[in-house]
């Protein structure tokens, strides 16, 4: 097997004092944090698409990356080379998981049957690499947005024939995920939205999308897949109005179609900020609604209005997000997938390592900072104290439906006592967070 990264040594933990650029200074996978190792908490994954498929193009210029697996053979030969490169990278980086779209690992064929056969052959290749390296699949998914057939959506397409082609592709991608021991399956509706209401029947499209997702869940149970089905919210880009705008919107959709107990969310940091929310808001919302599943770890650029997919670098902000994940009991079968890409000027293969090493260290520092917040306990105690009145019997009776509106109003009138508000102490809490070490 050709070596693509022979000049890169395996990445090791060397501690905070290390001055080695390609070494972990904070991510010590075996370090115990709140009863679990860092590796168990973070469950890092490398995404196949940005890392091995993206060629550096943007809307104003062509590709800048000249990867060895981009040219010099047939599409299937190049797919095998890409798999070789990917697993060499995974091994040297030391991340335990990876994620892929079906079209990342195998090329589209001239017919649906040929596409399926291409995927099956590459699944065998990936399986052999997993067996050899011990790498695991965090999740698989189907690319239902790149091909021109999906320009008007996949599940929401006005043509039922294209709906059927999307179903075929998802079935095959789910089968591939199961064969490779994938722990989750993700659906991202990149084209599930509309450009203009002049040609759109939103009611039909909602129902189509609801039926499609129900079919996916039904298939999961028929096949005995034990993983979690995840839906990934995103507000816009490429569609002007996407139906999976944010976590709350997704929950409303799931509840309408009876899926709120079956499907969770895969939350991406950059998607959260594009929807006008913070990353921690989306995590806390998902936790409160019982649908927190997995994380796509990246960041956006506040001065740009699109999905820039940069590696994370702000430890204090990320620590708040990790704090909410820990408070929710963790991610279960989910993990931290780096849905991030190096900049198009970062053309050296070594830059792929710098991006991931830095991202993993940032997440590790955020985890340690979140651990301090939890051990300290003052944040949690403040929240508990703020809502303590609702734990008393009279308030519980209200929430549990034993008190009617007029009864409550009459009791307040009988007491005839005004109540002074209490400070939320936001500035104190912000200062408190800044005392923890990043």
């Amino acid at each position: 097997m050709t070596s693509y990264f022979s000049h890169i040594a395996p990445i090791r933990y060397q501690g905070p004092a290390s001055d080695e650029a390609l070494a972990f200074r904070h991510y010590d996978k075996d370090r115990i944090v709140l009863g679990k190792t860092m590796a168990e908490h973070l469950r890092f994954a490398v995404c196949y698409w940005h890392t091995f498929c993206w060629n550096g193009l943007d809307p104003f210029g062509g590709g800048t990356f000249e990867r060895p697996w981009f040219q010099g053979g047939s599409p299937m030969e190049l797919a095998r080379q890409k798999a070789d490169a990917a697993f060499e990278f995974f091994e040297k980086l030391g991340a335990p998981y990876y994620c892929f779209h079906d079209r990342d690992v195998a090329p589209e064929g001239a017919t649906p049957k040929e596409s399926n056969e291409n995927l099956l052959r590459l699944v065998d290749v990936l399986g052999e690499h997993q067996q050899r390296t011990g790498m695991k699949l965090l999740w698989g998914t189907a690319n239902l947005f790149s091909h021109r057939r999906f320009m008007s959506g996949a599940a929401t397409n006005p043509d039922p024939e294209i709906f059927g082609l999307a179903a075929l592709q998802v079935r095959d991608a789910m089968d591939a995920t199961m064969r490779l021991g994938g722990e989750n399956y993700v659906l991202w509706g990149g084209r599930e939205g509309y450009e203009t209401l002049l040609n759109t029947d939103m009611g039909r499209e909602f129902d189509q999308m609801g039926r499609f997702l129900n079919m996916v869940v039904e298939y999961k149970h028929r096949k005995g897949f034990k993983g979690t089905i995840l839906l990934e919210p995103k507000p816009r880009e490429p569609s002007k109005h996407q139906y999976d705008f944010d976590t709350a919107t997704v929950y409303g959709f799931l509840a309408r179609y009876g899926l709120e107990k079956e499907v969770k969310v895969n939350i991406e940091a950059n998607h959260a900020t594009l929807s006008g929310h913070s990353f921690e808001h989306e995590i806390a919302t998902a936790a409160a609604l019982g649908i927190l599943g997995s994380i796509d770890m990246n960041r956006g650029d506040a001065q740009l209005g699109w999905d820039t997919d940069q590696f994370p670098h702000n430890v204090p902000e990320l620590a708040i997000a990790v704090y909410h994940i820990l408070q929710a009991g963790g991610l279960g079968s989910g993990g931290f997938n780096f849905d991030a890409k190096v900049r198009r000027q970062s053309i050296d293969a070594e830059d792929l390592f710098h991006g991931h090493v830095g991202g993993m260290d940032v997440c590790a520092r955020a985890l340690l900072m979140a651990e301090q917040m939890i051990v300290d306990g003052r944040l949690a105690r403040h929240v508990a104290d703020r809502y303590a009145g609702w734990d008393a019997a009279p308030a519980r009776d209200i929430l549990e439906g034993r008190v009617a509106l007029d009864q409550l109003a009459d009791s307040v009138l009988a007491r005839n006592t005004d109540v002074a508000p209490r400070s939320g102490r936001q500035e104190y809490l912000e200062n408190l967070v800044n005392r923890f070490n990043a």
Side-chain angles (χ1 to χ4, degrees):
M1 187 175 71
T2 303
S3 174
Y4 298 96
F5 305 107
S6 57
H7 62 296
I8 304 291
I11 310 300
R12 304 289 185 225
Y13 172 72
Q14 294 187 8
S18 174
D19 197 38
E20 172 59 49
L22 287 180
F24 295 122
R25 300 176 68 247
H26 303 279
Y27 177 58
D28 179 1
K29 66 184 180 66
D30 297 318
R31 177 171 176 173
I32 301 299
V33 177
L34 299 174
K36 294 164 63 176
T37 65
M38 276 193 168
E40 290 171 323
H41 276 294
L42 298 170
R43 292 164 59 86
F44 285 129
V46 178
C47 80
Y48 219 91
W49 51 100
H50 290 324
T51 313
F52 305 105
C53 302
W54 189 51
N55 64 4
L57 65 81
D58 70 12
F60 305 100
T64 58
F65 302 154
E66 296 178 349
R67 310 299 192 204
W69 54 89
F70 282 175
Q71 56 189 352
S74 70
M76 287 296 286
E77 289 169 346
L78 293 176
R80 290 188 180 90
Q81 290 180 34
K82 183 165 54 177
D84 292 346
F87 277 85
E88 183 184 1
F89 181 87
F90 300 154
E91 277 194 285
K92 290 197 169 183
L93 180 65
Y97 290 95
Y98 72 109
C99 300
F100 67 78
H101 298 85
D102 51 356
R103 299 301 183 248
D104 299 335
V105 297
E108 181 105 22
T111 65
K113 187 172 187 292
E114 184 179 329
S115 295
N116 174 260
E117 290 171 348
N118 288 347
L119 181 60
L120 289 175
R121 287 200 289 271
L122 262 298
V123 165
D124 288 340
V125 172
L126 298 178
E128 291 169 3
H129 279 303
Q130 287 185 205
Q131 184 82 21
R132 176 179 57 81
T133 62
M135 280 293 299
K136 294 175 285 187
L137 179 63
L138 185 65
W139 51 257
T141 187
N143 180 334
L144 302 179
F145 49 88
S146 293
H147 196 282
R148 68 190 297 270
R149 74 172 68 93
F150 297 126
M151 67 182 187
S152 300
T156 59
N157 199 286
D159 187 342
E161 296 294 333
I162 294 177
F163 182 101
L165 286 168
L168 169 65
Q169 201 170 322
V170 168
R171 192 278 308 270
D172 292 347
M174 289 184 73
D175 287 350
T177 299
M178 286 184 273
R179 280 184 55 190
L180 292 169
E183 299 184 19
N184 308 273
Y185 184 82
V186 170
L187 294 121
W188 177 60
R191 304 284 181 186
E192 312 298 12
Y194 70 88
E195 298 297 330
T196 175
L197 283 173
L198 295 174
N199 63 8
T200 302
D201 184 331
M202 290 180 66
R204 279 182 180 271
E205 295 197 358
F206 290 161
D207 287 345
Q208 288 173 212
M209 193 170 166
R211 181 60 195 136
F212 193 96
L213 193 51
N214 265 290
M215 292 166 70
V216 169
V217 170
E218 291 161 8
Y219 186 71
K220 164 193 166 172
H221 291 304
R222 278 204 311 277
K223 295 291 287 188
F225 179 49
K226 303 303 182 186
T228 304
I229 302 296
L230 301 167
L231 196 59
E232 183 168 328
K234 188 178 185 182
R236 59 181 181 272
E237 188 204 275
S239 295
K240 179 180 176 181
H241 295 285
Q242 288 186 208
Y243 299 143
D244 50 3
F245 182 88
D246 62 6
T247 296
T249 304
V250 167
Y251 182 80
F253 168 81
L254 295 176
R256 175 175 178 177
Y257 293 100
L259 294 163
E260 70 274 19
K261 302 297 185 185
E262 294 282 359
V263 178
K264 296 185 177 182
V265 285
N266 182 59
I267 298 172
E268 180 177 315
N270 203 170
H271 293 181
T273 52
L274 284 173
S275 67
H277 303 308
S278 65
F279 188 29
E280 62 266 27
H281 166 87
E282 288 290 90
I283 290 169
T285 300
L289 295 171
I291 58 170
L292 178 61
S294 196
I295 296 299
D296 269 7
M297 180 51 60
N298 58 22
R299 79 177 196 271
D301 187 320
Q303 295 172 305
L304 296 173
W306 61 85
D307 200 358
T308 56
D309 290 323
Q310 295 169 253
F311 283 91
H313 73 153
N314 190 317
V315 176
E317 281 189 6
L318 184 54
I320 300 295
V322 175
Y323 174 83
H324 283 286
I325 291 171
L326 294 175
Q327 290 288 81
L331 294 173
S333 64
F336 283 63
N337 171 49
F338 285 109
D339 187 359
K341 56 181 181 275
V342 296
R343 301 301 87 193
R344 71 189 299 265
Q345 298 178 53
S346 300
I347 60 175
D348 295 339
E350 182 177 321
D351 295 321
L352 294 172
F353 284 92
H354 285 297
H356 285 85
V357 168
M360 292 166 78
D361 259 353
V362 164
C363 291
R365 292 175 67 192
L367 175 64
L368 294 174
M369 188 171 169
E371 177 192 33
Q372 293 175 45
M373 296 180 199
I374 288 175
V375 170
D376 176 84
R378 279 178 285 181
L379 282 172
R381 286 196 298 273
H382 176 83
V383 173
D385 179 64
R386 191 171 183 224
Y387 293 91
W390 288 99
D391 295 328
R396 286 204 309 272
D397 288 342
I398 295 170
L399 291 180
E400 293 170 8
R402 290 187 288 272
V403 178
L405 179 68
D406 54 343
Q407 290 176 297
L408 180 58
D410 287 343
S411 68
V412 170
L413 192 60
R415 289 197 306 273
N416 199 30
T417 303
D418 199 1
V419 179
R422 296 172 59 194
S423 172
R425 306 188 72 195
Q426 179 173 333
E427 292 73 22
Y428 160 73
L429 296 172
E430 290 170 343
N431 293 345
L432 177 60
V433 168
N434 283 333
R435 294 176 196 165
F436 298 110
N437 297 318

